[in-house]
Amino acid sequence: MAKANLDRKDMPRQSPEARAKNFEEVALGYTPDLTAFEASRCLNCPKKYCIGGCPVGIDIPAFIMALRENDLPRAARVLKEKNALPGVCGRVCPQETQCEAVCLLAKQKAPIAIGRLERYVADWERDHPSSEKTVIAPPSGKKVAVVGSGPAGLTCAAEMARLGHKVTMFEALHVAGGVLMYGIPEFRLPKDIVQGEVEYVRSLGVELELNAVVGKIDNVDELLSQGYDAVFLGTGAGLPLFLRVPGENLSGVYSANEFLTRVNLMKAYRFPEFDTPVKIGKKVAVIGGGNVAMDAARCALRLGADEVSIVYRRSEVELPARREEVENAKEEGIKFRFLTNPTKFLGDAKHQLLGMECIEMELGEPDASGRHRPIPKPDSAFTMDCDVAVVALGTTPNPLIAQTTSGLHVSHHGTVVASEATGRTNKAGVWAGGDVVTGSATVISAMGAAKRAAADMDRYLRGVEQTPA
Amino acid sequence: MYRILERQDLTPNIHLFKIDAPRVAAKARAGQFVILRQGENGERIPLTLADWNKDEGSVTVVFMEVGLTTKKLALLQAGDALTDFAGPLGLPTHIENYGTVVCVAGGFAVATIMPIARALKEAGNRVITIMGARSQSLLFWEKEVGRYSDELIVITDDGSNGRKGLVTEPLRDILAKEGNGVTRVIAIGPTVMMKFSSKTSEPFKVKTIVSLNPIMVDGTGMCGCCRVSVGGVTRFACVDGPDFDGHEVDWDELMARQRTYLEQEASSLAQWQCQRGACAQEAR
Ligand SMILES: Cc1cc2nc3c(=O)[nH]c(=O)nc-3n(C[C@H](O)[C@H](O)[C@H](O)COP(=O)(O)OP(=O)(O)OC[C@H]3O[C@@H](n4cnc5c(N)ncnc54)[C@H](O)[C@@H]3O)c2cc1C
Ligand SMILES: Cc1cc2nc3c(=O)[nH]c(=O)nc-3n(C[C@H](O)[C@H](O)[C@H](O)COP(=O)(O)OP(=O)(O)OC[C@H]3O[C@@H](n4cnc5c(N)ncnc54)[C@H](O)[C@@H]3O)c2cc1C
Ligand code: FES
């Protein structure tokens, strides 16, 4: 084997000064030269660890080899075989903990930039729509309802359509895509890319019904009794959690979901060209430390806030956000206040937010999650000025489906109970996958779960109850 | 496509649309609402269902022109279509035979109260309806509401129709006269009116249900924009409501949250009117 080339290439990005003032994509993508170089580094190992690291099992070496031969149509085909949303995954997947983590070169800290190569191929395909149609199995005569059009719903719908089933996808909002549309900002994931991939799924024959809140219109039981042979629940984890401290309902205190929905889905960053407003703070505090908090903080900055701080109760090492996004945020000028926890929101006589009362924390013994438990420091209270606060503490599933589906087994966290291997719930004819089962997780894990569910739904619909050996 | 089948102007700035929306009509119940959006750049706004017809697959909304979206809506005619229309959202108003119920409606809310009064009547209640508006020209549906009311009291701020004053006055009179005979008050209208109706009934200890109208975005429980404090607990009006016990609502907080975007709303309305030529004339 030739000596491994450890010279992993960075991806060009907008400068921090420029990007802090616009909503255009931060990462600009590899050039053809960078792509060729990066692809040339792949060792094409006999034992393909990277495939095992991908929740949807993309044949990664095969698409990289196609790239190496400059056969982009083939590279695109290999990707699409396993992944209906490569343009999304190439941008937002945490590759560093998945495929790239198990790349042999990762031991030398220079894994192949699989995500960036995936993105390159997906973007190439978008600019060069192929005449080649995805092969669709002959009609099975079975009807499938997919509830929710996030990554889980889109993936399940695409798979079931390819397998020859008639699929209708129901979406509560006025556009499809779930968190990809309302949560993740334009500067990390352009909405055109998401809609392009939604269109691809529709091109497979999937019918999309927008503005359709299942449980308020027909519920799952009614769908089953009205001729759908199987139902997939991909309704995500959309219900925001709050701190439950005084003053949380002051004007100026947002949940991350509301703030991001206004900005991304309703395009408040282009107000008044778009009608939905958002409050533009001078001093913005974002509470939390995950990807959602980073996204909210970076949006607030781009809207024109003077100062944006992330307030997190643990220390920097425990930040759950992707490293790359923390670095991006820091470069852009987001401040971090670690070991700090708000205990009260303070307002003026007109109920407008003025600031937060906080306490300092210190780290104790590791808790059940293996992370150090934050403990309040005595007599450490102080106040922090802010006129907008965004609470980004995570989400749980919306209870609507659980409340309106008879006999569906739901955990005490509100998540739908489903087999990890097959997505089956306890209710006949009903499968589930993605954040509604796991709680907030990742795009690719939602897609992986949807694929496993689709495979099992197909077996069920064809009357093959047992997985063939 | 959510086509407008019929348009009526109930007052100069209160309009009725009957909309082709079979999926919503099939499930609609009194007290529920829809979220609609007009135009690709449009905002999502909630409107209560004033009526529906399952056979025809239509639903009716009545709205008052207040800001940009409702003014844009008012430009639409029968035959035009709305961009998006989702519902029925929220929990239906709880209906049973309470005995005697006083319905209090302010402004456009006469339309909102209609299906509730009808359901109450059908459940065997004695229904007393108080409808109020600033003046005669803003009143509509007296006959229609009258049909489901055993007693109808009309009141205007300026006395141009019915009694002169505010809806809280006849409400207080009825409660004082009938005492415990009234088992429930349902008050719907502008926030101040609901607040003071609740304050009026509080000393009489008559359960008072209000239909809250905080600002909303998704209307499905996803964003938390619509949160209100009721009895010291945070509730989401779009999924836990919109009906709540008026004696437990934190009214000042609700009104503060409703005012969050006042300045931005005024500026975008002004700019839009300007684009349509309204300010060019002023400048001349
Ligand atoms: C701000 C933010 C940033 C993130 N960043 C990343 C990242 O960088 N990388 C990553 O991998 N992951 C990221 N995630 C997580 C990732 O987006 C989710 O794990 C993923 O979207 C889950 O997919 P899903 O299909 O299960 O659910 P969702 O994407 O939540 O989609 C569910 C859909 O179902 C619809 N729905 C719900 N109820 C109903 C109903 N009753 N009827 C009809 N429709 C319904 C919803 O409207 C929604 O469209 C982020 C999440 C957020 C919020
Ligand atoms: C569940 C629910 C049901 C409703 N039903 C009806 C109805 O049947 N008919 C009707 O005419 N209106 C109804 N409303 C109010 C309606 O949604 C608002 O009038 C509308 O959103 C205003 O939008 P706009 O863009 O025209 O005005 P904006 O420019 O958004 O606002 C103009 C003014 O109206 C105030 N305002 C904004 N949103 C609301 C709100 N949600 N409620 C009260 N005031 C508001 C603002 O503070 C501002 O002063 C309902 C509201 C809710 C929450
Ligand atoms: S409007 Fe978003 S949660 Fe109620």
Side-chain angles (χ1 to χ4, degrees):
Chain A
M1 192 159 56
K3 194 164 178 305
N5 184 343
L6 296 180
D7 191 14
R8 172 169 158 141
K9 293 290 183 203
D10 243 346
M11 178 164 44
R13 289 181 294 167
Q14 280 195 70
S15 77
E17 300 74 40
R19 70 182 195 243
K21 297 194 185 71
N22 69 49
F23 274 82
E24 271 135 56
E25 209 171 0
V26 167
L28 303 171
Y30 270 166
T31 59
D33 284 352
L34 286 170
T35 304
F37 177 85
E38 193 60 30
S40 78
R41 294 206 305 125
C42 176
L43 302 175
N44 198 12
C45 317
K47 193 140 201 284
K48 303 175 190 319
Y49 295 103
C50 51
I51 303 183
C54 172
V56 297
I58 295 175
D59 189 344
I60 294 165
F63 98 78
I64 297 183
M65 289 309 121
L67 263 180
R68 209 182 257 184
E69 289 158 32
N70 208 16
D71 187 347
L72 280 145
R74 193 176 95 225
R77 215 158 46 232
V78 175
L79 276 179
K80 276 271 167 76
E81 245 165 47
K82 299 283 180 179
N83 185 343
L85 316 170
V88 170
C89 292
R91 286 176 166 78
V92 302
C93 267
Q95 291 97 9
E96 66 279 9
T97 60
Q98 298 177 157
C99 52
E100 292 180 14
V102 291
C103 173
L104 273 193
L105 295 179
K107 291 208 180 73
Q108 282 107 339
K109 291 261 183 253
I112 302 296
I114 299 168
R116 293 166 186 180
L117 294 178
E118 180 182 27
R119 166 181 165 149
Y120 182 84
V121 175
D123 289 358
W124 177 88
E125 197 199 14
R126 219 166 86 87
D127 298 338
H128 303 82
S130 78
S131 48
E132 233 177 290
K133 278 259 158 47
T134 306
V135 184
I136 292 182
S140 67
K142 302 288 183 183
K143 273 173 70 183
V144 177
V146 171
V147 187
S149 67
L154 286 168
T155 303
C156 180
E159 289 286 304
M160 293 311 276
R162 286 211 313 178
L163 294 165
H165 307 297
K166 190 161 169 16
V167 183
T168 306
M169 186 162 53
F170 296 92
E171 168 55 50
L173 293 171
H174 59 269
V175 288
V179 171
L180 308 178
M181 288 305 288
Y182 76 73
I184 305 180
E186 178 81 14
F187 57 80
R188 278 216 292 137
L189 180 62
K191 301 307 151 215
D192 281 357
I193 305 252
V194 181
Q195 287 312 303
E197 304 204 325
V198 169
E199 278 316 307
Y200 166 72
V201 173
R202 293 183 64 180
S203 76
L204 304 174
V206 171
E207 262 186 56
L208 175 60
E209 293 210 19
L210 298 172
N211 298 308
V213 188
V214 171
K216 288 294 178 182
I217 57 158
D218 291 339
N219 62 29
V220 171
D221 292 303
E222 287 165 322
L223 292 174
L224 284 170
S225 68
Q226 287 165 9
Y228 286 98
D229 301 290
V231 176
F232 175 79
L233 301 174
T235 45
L239 184 76
L241 296 173
F242 286 93
L243 282 158
R244 295 168 176 266
V245 300
E248 201 154 28
N249 295 342
L250 289 167
S251 168
V253 183
Y254 285 101
S255 76
N257 272 5
E258 181 190 352
F259 187 74
L260 291 169
T261 300
R262 284 182 179 271
V263 175
N264 301 316
L265 180 72
M266 306 311 295
K267 303 224 178 323
Y269 65 93
R270 287 165 70 182
F271 180 86
E273 178 195 346
F274 283 76
D275 295 345
T276 306
V278 68
K279 205 161 166 176
I280 299 179
K282 288 196 174 63
K283 280 191 149 194
V284 180
V286 178
I287 299 121
N291 284 324
V292 183
M294 299 303 139
D295 284 345
R298 296 171 72 198
C299 282
L301 188 75
R302 282 162 173 76
L303 288 170
D306 295 339
E307 189 184 306
V308 182
S309 310
I310 297 237
V311 178
Y312 181 55
R313 63 190 184 132
R314 292 188 165 95
S315 75
E316 175 151 16
V317 280
E318 284 91 15
L319 276 179
R322 280 181 77 190
R323 202 65 232 162
E324 180 178 333
E325 303 307 344
V326 175
E327 291 311 320
N328 277 332
K330 281 191 172 167
E331 282 176 20
E332 288 163 14
I334 307 285
K335 303 211 160 109
F336 286 79
R337 288 197 82 129
F338 295 111
L339 293 165
T340 303
N341 208 21
T343 49
K344 191 178 183 182
F345 291 95
L346 308 168
D348 63 13
K350 291 179 167 168
H351 287 75
Q352 306 291 315
L353 180 68
L354 282 180
M356 305 191 298
E357 215 168 84
C358 299
I359 43 165
E360 289 175 26
M361 311 293 278
E362 51 198 359
L363 290 181
E365 294 298 305
D367 62 13
S369 74
R371 296 182 303 175
H372 292 278
R373 191 199 308 274
I375 303 169
K377 247 195 213 171
D379 303 320
S380 64
F382 67 101
T383 60
M384 189 176 157
D385 290 347
C386 58
D387 54 350
V388 166
V390 181
V391 181
L393 298 178
T395 53
T396 59
N398 189 316
L400 179 61
I401 291 289
Q403 284 163 358
T404 58
T405 309
S406 66
L408 185 69
H409 197 167
V410 177
S411 79
H412 63 275
H413 299 295
T415 51
V416 171
V417 179
S419 146
E420 201 185 323
T422 62
R424 277 194 192 203
T425 68
N426 68 313
K427 194 174 163 80
V430 180
W431 282 256
D435 283 5
V436 72
V437 171
T438 55
S440 333
T442 61
V443 171
I444 197 73
S445 59
M447 294 176 66
K451 283 193 93 136
R452 293 191 295 277
D456 192 60
M457 288 166 85
D458 182 59
R459 285 192 291 270
Y460 167 89
L461 293 176
R462 293 181 195 281
V464 191
E465 277 292 332
Q466 293 302 309
T467 313
Chain B
M1 282 288 267
Y2 305 94
R3 232 161 42 80
I4 300 169
L5 302 171
E6 187 186 323
R7 169 190 166 129
Q8 283 175 31
D9 299 320
L10 302 178
T11 77
N13 71 350
I14 299 179
H15 315 283
L16 174 151
F17 284 168
K18 191 197 239 190
I19 292 157
D20 180 33
R23 205 160 50 188
V24 183
K27 295 284 167 169
R29 307 257 305 273
Q32 291 187 295
F33 64 94
V34 295
I35 292 248
L36 58 79
R37 198 174 71 105
Q38 180 47 27
E40 279 315 315
N41 300 0
E43 188 171 12
R44 294 170 64 95
I45 68 154
L47 295 177
T48 309
L49 291 170
D51 205 358
W52 52 90
N53 181 328
K54 289 188 192 355
D55 300 332
E56 197 181 59
S58 70
V59 301
T60 301
V61 290
V62 169
F63 64 94
M64 182 169 72
E65 291 181 48
V66 291
L68 181 58
T69 308
T70 46
K71 285 188 192 299
K72 275 186 177 174
L73 281 180
L75 298 177
L76 300 179
Q77 302 299 333
D80 293 338
L82 297 171
T83 312
D84 293 290
F85 196 81
L89 300 172
L91 300 175
T93 298
H94 190 81
I95 303 285
E96 58 178 80
N97 190 345
Y98 300 104
T100 299
V101 181
V102 181
C103 291
V104 189
F108 70 80
V110 170
T112 316
I113 281 265
M114 263 285 279
I116 296 173
R118 182 172 64 200
L120 285 168
K121 193 73 215 139
E122 282 164 6
N125 289 280
R126 174 171 162 242
V127 179
I128 304 172
T129 305
I130 303 170
M131 57 188 276
R134 260 175 296 136
S135 82
Q136 156 69 22
S137 63
L138 300 172
L139 279 173
F140 59 92
W141 283 12
E142 281 177 66
K143 260 221 288 308
E144 287 81 348
V145 176
R147 198 179 310 145
Y148 304 110
S149 311
D150 295 277
E151 207 180 309
L152 177 69
I153 297 160
V154 175
I155 179 159
T156 48
D157 291 10
D158 61 4
S160 50
N161 185 347
R163 195 171 150 177
K164 177 173 156 67
L166 300 170
V167 288
T168 45
E169 293 160 22
L171 176 61
R172 182 177 299 113
D173 294 347
I174 294 167
L175 293 174
K177 194 171 89 205
E178 305 214 5
N180 294 338
V182 175
T183 34
R184 181 162 290 226
V185 173
I186 298 183
I188 309 183
T191 308
V192 248
M193 173 247 148
M194 293 194 281
K195 172 181 171 174
F196 286 102
S197 298
S198 302
K199 298 264 175 255
T200 302
S201 65
E202 204 163 3
F204 297 96
K205 298 193 169 55
V206 179
K207 179 107 167 169
T208 298
I209 300 299
V210 291
S211 177
L212 297 187
N213 54 356
I215 300 176
M216 294 188 175
V217 183
D218 63 301
T220 67
M222 179 271 276
C223 75
C225 172
C226 63
R227 58 195 198 278
V228 288
S229 298
V230 183
V233 179
T234 295
R235 313 292 300 275
F236 287 9
C238 70
V239 286
D240 302 324
D243 289 358
F244 292 101
D245 183 335
H247 296 158
E248 303 215 310
V249 171
D250 183 338
W251 294 102
D252 294 344
E253 176 189 284
L254 171 63
M255 287 190 254
R257 288 186 67 83
Q258 285 172 333
R259 284 191 301 265
T260 303
Y261 303 105
L262 227 49
E263 271 172 45
Q264 280 164 303
E265 278 156 357
S267 79
S268 70
L269 177 62
Q271 181 171 333
W272 177 74
Q273 284 169 330
C274 214
Q275 281 161 3
R276 304 187 67 247
C279 70
Q281 278 164 358
E282 251 168 55
R284 219 177 283 150

